[in-house]
Amino acid sequence: KVRCDYPDCKEIFNTIKQRDDHDRATHTIPGIAYPCENCDREFDTIGTLRDHFKNNHKEYPCELCKQQVTGRKNFKQHQKGCKTSLTPQVQAENVQLLPHACSYPNCYCSYLTKAKLDSHVLHRHEIHACKKCGKEFDGYDRYYSHQRTCGNKNKCEFPGCEETFHTVKERKDHFRRVHAEVSEYPCPHCVKVFKRQGKLETHITNIHTQQTCTACNLTFKGLNSLNKHNIDKHP
């Protein structure tokens, strides 16, 4: 939730954009500017002034190296560099832990409640084994992503391609993107040509492969002929 910064205004918004739109529509007076106390810039709303202050003048303390970094963007870049440059021992000594800290090696996350810590361990560290293929994954997120495709019937029809997909659309998009150079699959028994290997195989089974009726032992050319025979003779 985002609260309006204008004095005596108690409006609360879901996003920063909604708050800024409210500032311009309700509190902005033409010709009135809000000057920054730290530089010479002026702004038409309190919200944009506040964002400017956070991005350029506010100091953020780094928990890893104890330095004060000016500006929100600079602070985020500094944090990335700190995590890679400091050794795990230094990070462990400097980081200010909350009451419930993660006990996994080289993980310095900590939380106010045990429930949030348990959720962190479940999604980031706990080992989950796939019941279909036996593969193990660190964290539920990677396990869940694997589960969605493991044993999925939406498998690529291109010969030798083992890719699987969540939906038919994803499979078709993959086929066009990766295997587009192979665009025709001619039938070896007739003049028909297909755009997919799977369609060709279905055609051969339905039209050209010999099928035997289990009820009367008659043979038919293709699954379609056998199905028609069963409907007519063995309903």
Side-chain angles (χ1 to χ4, degrees), residues 8-229:
D8 299 328
C9 183
K10 299 181 180 180
E11 292 289 336
I12 300 177
F13 306 91
N14 293 325
T15 65
I16 293 177
K17 183 180 183 302
Q18 290 178 352
R19 183 208 60 202
D20 291 344
D21 292 342
H22 161 78
D23 284 347
R24 295 186 182 93
T26 308
H27 305 303
T28 299
I29 303 175
I32 300 297
Y34 297 91
C36 175
E37 297 179 354
N38 302 93
C39 65
D40 297 332
R41 296 192 62 182
E42 295 182 344
F43 302 89
D44 58 349
T45 66
I46 292 179
T48 52
L49 171 62
R50 187 208 63 251
D51 291 339
H52 163 77
F53 173 76
K54 288 184 177 180
N55 290 330
N56 298 277
H57 304 298
K58 185 177 180 179
E59 291 189 347
Y60 296 86
C62 178
E63 294 182 348
L64 297 179
C65 66
K66 304 304 180 181
Q67 291 185 13
Q68 295 285 335
V69 183
T70 303
R72 181 164 49 187
K73 294 181 179 179
N74 294 334
F75 175 67
K76 290 182 178 180
Q77 293 178 354
H78 170 83
Q79 277 190 315
K80 293 179 181 179
C82 241
K83 290 181 180 179
T84 56
S85 61
L86 295 181
T87 63
Q89 291 79 7
V90 174
Q91 292 187 35
E93 293 173 359
N94 291 346
V95 68
Q96 184 177 359
L97 297 178
L98 295 174
H100 300 275
C102 180
S103 59
Y104 277 81
N106 297 328
C107 183
Y108 305 101
C109 295
S110 58
Y111 301 90
L112 288 173
T113 64
K114 188 177 183 301
K116 289 188 176 181
L117 172 62
D118 293 341
S119 177
H120 162 79
V121 172
L122 172 69
H123 287 84
R124 296 295 180 88
H125 302 297
E126 196 170 288
I127 302 297
H128 299 269
C130 177
K131 297 180 180 179
K132 299 177 182 178
C133 66
K135 288 185 178 180
E136 294 185 346
F137 300 89
D138 293 334
Y140 184 80
D141 293 343
R142 295 179 59 195
Y143 162 77
Y144 178 74
S145 178
H146 168 80
Q147 280 285 92
R148 294 183 64 191
T149 57
C150 185
N152 200 312
K153 294 182 179 180
N154 289 316
K155 184 179 178 181
C156 180
E157 299 173 344
F158 192 81
C161 183
E162 301 295 330
E163 291 288 335
T164 57
F165 305 91
H166 301 159
T167 63
V168 174
K169 182 180 183 301
E170 290 180 357
R171 185 196 67 199
K172 290 181 178 179
D173 291 342
H174 160 81
F175 190 93
R176 296 190 193 99
R177 185 176 63 255
V178 179
H179 309 299
E181 64 276 6
V182 182
S183 58
E184 293 185 348
Y185 294 90
C187 177
H189 306 286
C190 64
V191 297
K192 285 196 172 184
V193 178
F194 300 88
K195 292 184 177 181
R196 293 191 178 91
Q197 177 74 16
K199 295 290 186 181
L200 171 61
E201 294 174 354
T202 301
H203 164 76
I204 293 176
T205 301
N206 291 337
I207 305 300
H208 302 295
T209 303
Q210 182 172 306
Q211 307 287 342
T212 302
C213 177
T214 57
C216 61
N217 292 327
L218 291 177
T219 58
F220 299 88
K221 190 176 182 180
L223 185 61
N224 289 349
S225 299
L226 174 61
N227 291 337
K228 183 179 179 181
H229 163 77

